[in-house]
Every structure is written in C-alpha cells, then in structure tokens.
C-alpha cells in the first residue's frame, strides 16, 4: 500500500522570504524521507492553495493524505481555518490532520542551536537571559504553551527565560528584554520562536534592538524537518480519525 501523501500547509505571506523558507524546509523533508511524496499548500497569499493541491491530488487518483499544519501552536488556524479547508476537499480523499509541530524537545534544541550560531556558547548559559519571542495569539491555549516552553527551557541552565509576543498578547519583545536587564542577567538574547521570516518576525527583530544577541528564525533547520516527519508518522497510523471518506 502506498504511503499517504504529506501535504504541508503553510500560512503564506506577502513577504517572499516566507515561501522561500517553506520550500527549503520541504526540500529537506524530501531528502530525509525520499519514499514519501511531499506537497506544499498555502492558506493565503501564495500559490498553490491548499484546496488547489487537494483537487490535483484527487484528480491524479491519490487516496490518502496527511495534512500537516506548519504551525508551532494549536491556535485559530489549526483549530478552525485548516479543518474548514480540509472538509471542503474532494470526497474521494481520505485526509488525516496531523498535530502542529510544537511543543517538542527538538524545537527547543533548534532554538538553542540558533543562539549558538548567533554568537553564544554553552558556557554563557548561566549568565544569559533569553527572550522566547513568538508571533502571539488570542488563544489562551497557545499562550500557555509558550509560557510552559519558557519555564522548561529555563531549567536547562539559562539565567532566565521570558516569553514575549509580537502581536495579540503581552509582553512585547522589548519589554521582556528590559525585564531581563533589570533582573541582572549579564547579557540578553532574543530567540524567535517562529518558522519563517515575515512581518511579525521583523517586529520581533525591532524589539530586540536593546538585546545583545538576536538569533535567526527556526527556518529549514534539521530539527524542524525531523519534527515534521514525526508528526506525519503519528498521523498516518490507522488509530486516528480521518477527515472525510
């Protein structure tokens, strides 16, 4: 029996760096799992659209699809937008929606590696405060997850870790940077907990102006690709309820 097609669902953006990063990540996933067909669809701004990809797959005779939200938290897109699009898919498709990528120890490892790439070393951990800067959400569940990631990451040896948000929630990145300064951390680093460049990551970068270190977005890192495949493998098991079919 052929493996289900993996459909990576990205939000989309007017910023061309967003789609370029998504495509780079998908190329890494294909290289890691050459036996799996991987397609990309966007909810907005970019093509191909999710619905367009699903219609094309159905026209080809594809039967099974795992739809994987390229999201770090279970907020509005994962709970509402994506299920709505999938429910409008051609009836012949058997679609399983995978879980979002976060939280995951692999993603935390990617955050830390990005900080080291930006100039920190493991020896700096105990004297460095970190701002875990995410896009933000009005969903309390998503906000709670970011706060918990910050608490868990702090336990690995950082001076302090504070969550911050680029929109919808508080505190903002610049406020968290100042809080860590006031706390007495020798240096302050900002770690964007976002997948691709764009409007909100740029806002995070501006908020990091007073920090000592600003690391890169997670992007097409090997850890993100590994988590993506973990979610795919979990979703294609028969125990999960399918959408449609």
């Amino acid at each position: 029996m052929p493996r289900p097609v993996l459909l990576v669902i990205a939000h989309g953006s007017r910023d061309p760096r967003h789609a370029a990063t998504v495509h780079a990540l998908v190329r890494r996933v294909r290289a890691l799992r050459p036996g799996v067909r991987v397609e990309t669809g966007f909810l907005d701004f970019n093509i191909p659209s999710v619905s367009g990809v699903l219609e094309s797959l159905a026209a080809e005779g594809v039967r099974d699809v795992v739809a994987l939200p390229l999201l770090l938290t279970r907020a509005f897109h994962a709970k509402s937008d994506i299920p709505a699009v999938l429910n409008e898919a051609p009836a012949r498709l058997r679609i399983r929606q995978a879980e979002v990528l976060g939280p995951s120890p692999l993603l935390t490892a990617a955050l830390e590696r990005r900080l080291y790439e930006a100039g920190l070393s493991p020896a700096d951990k105990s004297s460095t405060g970190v701002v875990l800067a995410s896009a933000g959400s009005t969903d309390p569940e998503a906000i709670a997850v970011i706060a918990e990631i910050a608490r868990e990451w702090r336990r690995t040896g950082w001076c302090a870790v504070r969550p911050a948000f680029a929109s919808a929630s508080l505190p903002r990145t610049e406020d968290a940077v100042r809080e860590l300064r006031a706390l007495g951390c020798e240096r302050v680093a900002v770690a964007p907990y976002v997948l691709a460049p764009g409007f909100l990551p740029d806002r995070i970068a501006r908020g990091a102006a007073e920090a000592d270190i600003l690391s890169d977005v997670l992007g097409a890192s090997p850890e993100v690709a590994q988590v993506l495949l973990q979610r795919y493998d979990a979703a294609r098991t028969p125990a999960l309820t399918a959408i449609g079919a």
Side-chain angles (χ1 to χ4, degrees), residues 23-38:
H23 291 310
L25 175 61
V26 168
R27 286 194 296 271
R28 186 181 284 276
V29 171
R30 287 176 178 144
L32 287 173
R33 194 72 65 85
V36 174
R37 178 177 175 182
V38 187

Side-chain angles (χ1 to χ4, degrees), residues 18 22 39 61 70 75 115 139 151 154 182 189 204 210 214 239 243:
H18 173 88
V22 171
E39 299 291 343
L70 199 59
L115 285 171
D139 189 305
R151 282 192 292 270
R154 162 67 182 84
I204 289 171
E210 296 178 21
L214 170 64
I243 297 174

Side-chain angles (χ1 to χ4, degrees), residues 25-138:
L25 175 61
V26 168
R27 286 194 296 271
R28 186 181 284 276
V29 171
R30 287 176 178 144
L32 287 173
R33 194 72 65 85
V36 174
R37 178 177 175 182
V38 187
E39 299 291 343
T40 309
F42 295 91
L43 290 173
D44 207 353
F45 301 116
N46 303 103
I47 55 173
S49 67
V50 176
S51 58
V53 174
L54 291 171
E55 288 169 6
S56 296
L57 291 174
E60 288 179 34
V62 169
R63 173 65 174 160
D64 290 310
V65 176
V66 168
L68 194 150
L70 199 59
L71 301 168
L72 294 173
T73 58
R74 285 192 76 251
F76 181 77
H77 294 303
K79 294 177 178 179
S80 181
D81 283 359
I82 291 174
V85 173
L86 298 181
N87 278 322
E88 295 297 319
R92 67 163 286 113
L93 292 176
R94 183 169 183 259
I95 305 173
R96 298 184 182 95
Q97 181 175 330
E99 289 296 327
V100 297
L101 300 181
S104 166
L106 281 169
L107 296 179
T108 306
L111 286 167
E112 197 150 310
R113 185 169 58 78
R114 289 295 194 219
L115 285 171
Y116 296 151
E117 290 171 351
L120 290 179
S121 74
D124 296 324
K125 289 185 74 166
S126 63
S127 57
T128 301
V130 178
V131 178
L132 179 67
S134 74
S137 174
T138 57

Side-chain angles (χ1 to χ4, degrees), residues 3 12 19 49 84 96 105 107 118 128 130 164 177 181 203 205 213 218 229:
R3 295 176 181 177
S49 67
R96 298 184 182 95
L107 296 179
T128 301
V130 178
V177 169
R181 289 270 188 232
R203 180 179 288 178
I213 294 285
L218 293 172
L229 286 170

